[in-house]
Structure formats: structure tokens, C-alpha cells
Amino acid sequence: MNLFKMKSEIISFPTFESAFKELPIGKGDLVVTIREIYDAFLTPFTGECKVLFVGDYGLGEPTDSMMDAMLKDIGDYTYHRVISIGGGSVIDISKIFVLKDITTAQAAFEQSIPIIKDKELFIFPATCGTGSEVTNISIAFLEKKNVKMGLANDAILADKAILVAQALEGLPFKPYACSAIDALIHALESYLSPKANIYTEIFSKQAIEMILKVFVKLAKEGPEARFAHLEEMLIASNMAGIAFGNAGVGAVHAMSYPLGGNYHVPHGEANYQFLVAVFNAYTRKNPDGKIKDLNLYVAKLLDVPVEELYTCLSAILSQLVVKQPLKDYGMKEEEIETFADSVIATQQRLLANNYVELSRDEIRDIYKEVYY
Ligand SMILES: [Fe+2]
């Protein structure tokens, strides 16, 4: 039984200047980023690199067309290293540029070419949630096939995951909060996954503790308090990524995909809408299993009686991201049924990581609970 793997080296620097002093970049590097980060931090260091801005190719989640247009612009530039600096979309896109003989994104995602890595990959996360800098997954929407596909292969793991706290300085509060809640959910879901073990649990628990500590502070002192804790949040998000890269995430993520995909709700915000309802359903179905330990652990961190845990957690998280009925996102009532069907049909990979099995009707009931 495979317990734990961690192939990426993890390095931390306070600033980009200190990072690039130790790890200089230049000719032969392909930098993939967004303009805001480039203008704020990168211009002194990227003179001889080829730089691609994801925003020039499209907005929102990565698509095959965006990746293909970027491949075209890379043209015959010879590069031996991909330097990815950004949030989840930038990182997902960058990962495929390390592949040997890549012609189109579709070929990579369908694995019709051999998935062989022939470039180094350095990832600098610029949000504090995806954990993508330490996972072997890239997800894209293949427009030509009208399907969202994931490529999960160790060939697209980062050689170095480089945590630069300065990268979060320009991140506005909402994406900060959404990504940090996503990280918390990675830690909580991976802790309960049947694939969890003592190695992954250490990372899940440490991430939960660090994230909640900052959240309690933000709830008391307001959004500006985040700036004193950027490094902790980046590390906590990375730890949660290590935990879920090994143990997986479950129903919260599975149920949020139809909402996020159809109504363009940010990933962390969409996840948050389901967190409490899914965990309450878990607690009802098997109150004396591992969730009992988790609930006690989190209640102790928040210094509340365990019976009040989810009310207290909701109160804290609601100060960071608005929780609203799904109908307020425009979701139609009949989609309570169709979303439940689509989760069963397409998300079995994630549902396998649930704490307890949830039937189609139980999933439907959770949608119903958070719809109105
Ligand atoms: Fe996530």
C-alpha cells in the first residue's frame, strides 16, 4: 500500500528578488504568469526569458484552445525549464509545457502522446489554496470535445515548489479568502479520506491548525490582518496540497464542480457552500468514526464545545466569504436532481474518497439543503 510520496523540493523565500538571486532565470527559461504579477515583481529578472501571459489567451479556467495558442507562440523557442508563477490556472497550463513532443493540449490530456517530461518545472504559487505546486494534476476544459479533463501523471510534478510570501501581497481579499478556504477544505477532506494515513494526517492537521489560526484573527481584526501572515498561509496551503495530493478530496469538491462550472462560482467559494452540509451528513451517518476525532480537534482549536463546532466555523468562514443559497447563484430548482445525477455519473474518482458512502439521493438532499 502506497502511503506517501513527495517528489518536489519545497523552498521558501521572502521576496522574488531573494528567490531569483539564488535561482537565477534567463535564456532557455519559459516564464508563464499573469501581467499583474509580472509588472509588480518580475520585470527586473526576466530579461532574456520568453514570457507568456495567460490573460492574453483567455479568461477563466484553462482550455485546450488557450494552451494551443500558447504552444504556437512558444514556436521554436528552445527552453529547458518552465517557470510558472500564478494561481491555479497558470499552474495547470504551465504543467503541460514540460512534456516532450507536445503538439496539442488535447494530445496531452487524452495521452495520445507518451507523457514524458523533458523540461524542469519550477512553480511559484501566487494564491494560497490550490496546492497545485505539489500535485501531479492539471485540469483543462477541452472545448473541441466539450469536456473537462484531468491529466494526472508524475511527469507534470514540479521539481521545485517555491513559496514566496511576497507573491500574495497583491492578491485581493476575495481571491485570498476563497483560496484559503479551499486549502482548509483540502485539509479537512483529505483527513477523512479512506486513503489518509498517519503521514497525510500530519499534514492535514497542521494545515487546519495554521489556517484556522489566521481565520480567527481575520474574523476579529478584519482583512488587513492577513498581510502579517502571508507566509504561514502559503505554507499551510502547501501542506494541505501535500495531504490531498496523497489522500484525495471527496464530496465537497465533487458537489461543487457543477455549481462552479455552470455558474462560474470561484472554486473555493463553491466548495464552501457545501462544506458544512456534507460534514453534517457525514456526522449523522457515522458519528463515531474518524470524524469524531476531527470534530474534537477542530472544536479544541476554536475553543468551542463540539456541539457548536459547525455553527462557530460557519460564523468565522462567513466573515471571509459570503455563504448564500444556491438559488442566489441562478441555479434552477430542477438542477438539484440533475446536479446529483451528474455528480454520480462523473465524480466517482472523488466520491471514492468520501468518509462514508453518500447515495445519489443523499447527495440530492444536500443540494436541496443548501439550495433555499
Ligand atoms: Fe480545491
Side-chain angles (χ1 to χ4, degrees), residues 194-349:
K195 291 186 205 136
N197 58 68
I198 185 72
Y199 294 92
T200 64
E201 285 165 11
I202 288 170
F203 284 91
S204 294
K205 278 186 152 177
Q206 185 63 32
I208 293 167
E209 183 179 336
M210 289 169 78
I211 294 167
L212 287 179
K213 228 180 227 173
V214 178
F215 281 180
V216 168
K217 218 158 180 216
L218 294 182
K220 275 192 201 136
E221 297 173 18
E224 297 302 302
R226 72 188 186 279
F227 292 110
H229 304 281
L230 296 179
E231 190 183 6
E232 285 118 284
M233 196 52 100
L234 203 51
I235 290 174
S237 152
N238 181 258
M239 288 183 154
I242 292 169
F244 102 79
N246 281 277
V249 288
V252 175
H253 272 76
M255 293 187 67
S256 85
Y257 281 136
L259 179 71
N262 286 286
Y263 294 100
H264 308 291
V265 184
H267 176 70
E269 181 177 340
N271 278 340
Y272 173 46
Q273 309 307 319
F274 299 97
L275 173 66
V276 172
V278 167
F279 276 54
N280 276 333
Y282 283 163
T283 308
R284 277 195 304 273
K285 276 198 93 172
N286 183 9
D288 295 321
K290 199 173 177 187
I291 203 163
K292 192 175 176 181
D293 301 337
L294 180 67
N295 289 346
L296 284 168
Y297 178 72
V298 180
K300 200 170 165 209
L301 289 174
L302 295 178
D303 197 22
V304 292
V306 72
E307 308 76 50
E308 293 168 26
L309 169 60
Y310 287 102
T311 315
C312 172
L313 188 60
S314 295
I316 292 169
L317 299 184
S318 294
Q319 294 200 40
L320 309 175
V321 170
V322 176
K323 183 159 189 321
Q324 54 185 22
L326 301 190
K327 67 179 171 51
D328 290 0
Y329 289 108
M331 182 179 155
K332 299 175 204 69
E333 200 167 355
E334 58 270 26
E335 286 175 326
I336 293 173
E337 301 289 340
T338 55
F339 279 11
D341 288 333
S342 100
V343 168
I344 292 292
T346 63
Q347 301 296 338
Q348 288 299 328
R349 182 178 66 85

Side-chain angles (χ1 to χ4, degrees), residues 73-135:
D73 282 354
I74 293 169
D76 51 16
Y77 176 70
T78 306
Y79 61 104
H80 56 82
R81 207 162 52 169
V82 177
I83 313 290
S84 174
I85 307 170
S89 297
V90 169
I91 298 173
D92 277 6
I93 288 172
S94 309
K95 282 175 171 175
I96 71 151
F97 298 144
V98 305
L99 297 177
K100 188 170 187 240
D101 299 331
I102 176 153
T103 47
T104 64
Q106 188 172 336
F109 281 89
E110 290 183 333
Q111 304 196 35
S112 58
I113 54 163
I115 304 299
I116 298 169
K117 178 179 188 165
D118 75 347
K119 280 112 190 157
E120 267 193 298
L121 176 61
F122 288 7
I123 299 179
F124 296 71
T127 60
C128 46
T130 69
S132 187
E133 71 277 11
V134 283
T135 66

